[in-house]
Amino acid sequence: MLSDPLLTGISRQELDALAASLAPAQAAQTEQRCYQQRGGPRRKAAGTHGRPLLCDADRVLVTIVYLRQICSQKVLSDLIEVNPFSIGQAIAETRQLLDEHRHTVTPTTLRFTSQQALLDFVHHGTTVRRPRLPAVLSDPSLTGMSRPKLHQLIERLSVQQAAQIERRRHQRRGGARLPGARGGVFRQKITDAERILATVLYQRGVCTRRVLAELFEVSPRTIGNALLEVRPLLEQNGHVATPAKTRFSTAAALLASVTPAHGQHNTTESSR
C-alpha cells in the first residue's frame, strides 16, 4: 500500500530499481554497524540471526514516504506495526545513502496525521492537503521582487544556511557527529526556503512575527530564530528590503490581499 505512486512520487518500477541500486550500500552499512557494535571483526561466520523487522526494500520505502512528509514516524510505526526506534534508525541510515547517491526526495502537499487518515486516502481517495503557502506568500506584491529573483535568492542562501546549521550543530556537539548518529533526520518545522521567505516578508514590514507564525503554523519563537539566522545571510548577499506599502495585522487579511487578479496586474513591484 505504501508503495502507491501517489505516496512515493515515483512508479513501482522506479522504486524497485532504486531499492536494487541501494542494496549493496545497505549491506555494507549493516556490516559497518555490526562491526562497531561488536567492537571488532566477527568471530563466527555470518548468519541469518532471524528475520529483520524491515528488509532493505522496506527501509527504502519507509524513508521515501517519510521524507515526502506524508506522515510522521509514529503513523508509520502504527501502520506497519514496527517500533518507532527501528523506524527512526531505518530512516536515518537510508537517508544518508540517498544523499550519497544524490537522490532527491521532493516533499508533497499531502499530509496524514493518523493511520486511519492515510488508509482512507489509499482506499477511498479522501485527501488532506497542506496549503501551498510559499506559492501564495511569494507573490511579488508581498516580497517586492519577481518570483524568479526570489527563487535565485533562495537558491543562493540555502547552501549557506545549510552550512550554518551544520556549523552550529558541530559547536553544540563539541566535535564531529558520532558513528550511528541520526544526522539530522528530523526535518525542521519549516523548510529553509520558508525561513528565507518569512525573513524577506518581515524585513519589508509586511506583517508581524505573530502573523508569520500563524501563516506557517509554527511558534513565534521559531520565526524569531529564523529571522536571527537568515537576516545576516541576506545582508552578506547585499539584499536590501524595500518597505511594503501595506502592513497586515492578521493572516486572513494578508491572504485575502493576494488574489489571482492582483498577482497578474501588480507589475510595479514585480518588476523591481
Side-chain angles (χ1 to χ4, degrees):
M1 181 194 69
L2 286 177
S3 63
D4 189 308
L6 291 175
L7 299 179
T8 63
I10 57 178
S11 67
R12 286 187 167 86
Q13 291 77 14
E14 291 173 321
L15 179 63
D16 291 341
L18 176 62
S21 69
L22 293 181
Q26 285 179 305
Q29 192 179 60
T30 299
E31 186 60 32
Q32 179 185 14
R33 183 176 64 253
C34 292
Y35 185 97
Q36 292 170 341
Q37 291 173 347
R38 290 191 304 265
R42 66 174 70 251
R43 299 178 180 178
K44 297 181 180 179
T48 57
H49 302 295
R51 184 175 180 274
L53 292 174
L54 295 169
C55 69
D56 288 346
D58 293 337
R59 294 162 70 88
V60 173
L61 174 58
V62 166
T63 302
I64 288 178
V65 171
Y66 178 73
L67 295 182
R68 290 256 295 163
Q69 300 181 9
I70 294 290
C71 61
S72 66
Q73 292 185 23
K74 182 181 184 305
V75 172
L76 285 172
S77 175
D78 293 341
L79 190 66
I80 61 180
E81 298 181 348
V82 172
N83 67 79
F85 177 81
S86 296
I87 294 288
Q89 185 179 44
I91 291 173
E93 294 178 352
T94 309
R95 179 190 174 191
Q96 180 183 352
L97 297 181
L98 290 171
D99 289 342
E100 292 174 355
H101 285 71
R102 299 185 182 281
H103 182 85
T104 302
V105 179
T106 305
T108 179
T109 56
L110 290 172
R111 179 69 176 179
F112 305 99
T113 56
S114 69
Q115 173 185 346
Q116 190 57 51
L118 198 155
L119 292 173
D120 288 342
F121 167 72
V122 173
H123 297 312
H124 309 295
T126 305
T127 61
V128 178
R129 291 184 178 270
R130 288 171 287 181
R132 289 184 171 274
L133 270 179
V136 175
L137 297 180
S138 60
D139 187 281
S141 66
L142 299 177
T143 63
M145 67 181 79
S146 66
R147 293 181 189 274
K149 286 186 177 180
L150 176 64
H151 179 70
Q152 292 169 6
L153 178 65
I154 289 174
E155 281 194 329
R156 290 199 306 271
L157 295 189
S158 292
V159 176
Q160 298 176 32
Q161 193 170 205
Q164 185 184 67
I165 291 172
E166 186 56 37
R167 182 171 63 252
R168 185 173 65 251
R169 289 173 177 169
H170 186 280
Q171 292 171 343
R172 288 176 180 174
R173 290 191 303 264
R177 185 180 294 115
L178 295 175
R182 293 173 181 261
V185 66
F186 299 109
R187 295 294 187 183
Q188 299 181 80
K189 295 178 181 178
I190 57 176
T191 66
D192 290 344
E194 290 170 344
R195 291 155 68 89
I196 296 169
L197 176 57
T199 305
V200 168
L201 296 176
Y202 183 78
Q203 284 196 321
R204 294 198 72 219
V206 171
C207 59
T208 64
R209 295 185 187 186
R210 182 182 59 79
V211 172
L212 286 171
E214 183 179 349
L215 288 167
F216 288 103
E217 298 182 349
V218 295
S219 68
R221 181 178 180 180
T222 297
I223 294 295
N225 290 337
L227 299 178
L228 288 174
E229 294 172 2
V230 177
R231 192 154 38 195
L233 298 180
L234 287 172
E235 293 175 355
Q236 293 171 17
N237 279 263
H239 176 74
V240 179
T242 56
K245 295 180 179 179
T246 306
R247 183 176 179 83
F248 300 95
S249 58
T250 66
L254 188 152
L255 294 175
S257 73
V258 184
T259 63
H262 185 74
Q264 293 171 3
H265 298 301
N266 190 342
T267 59
T268 302
E269 291 204 311
S270 63
S271 63
R272 293 181 184 176

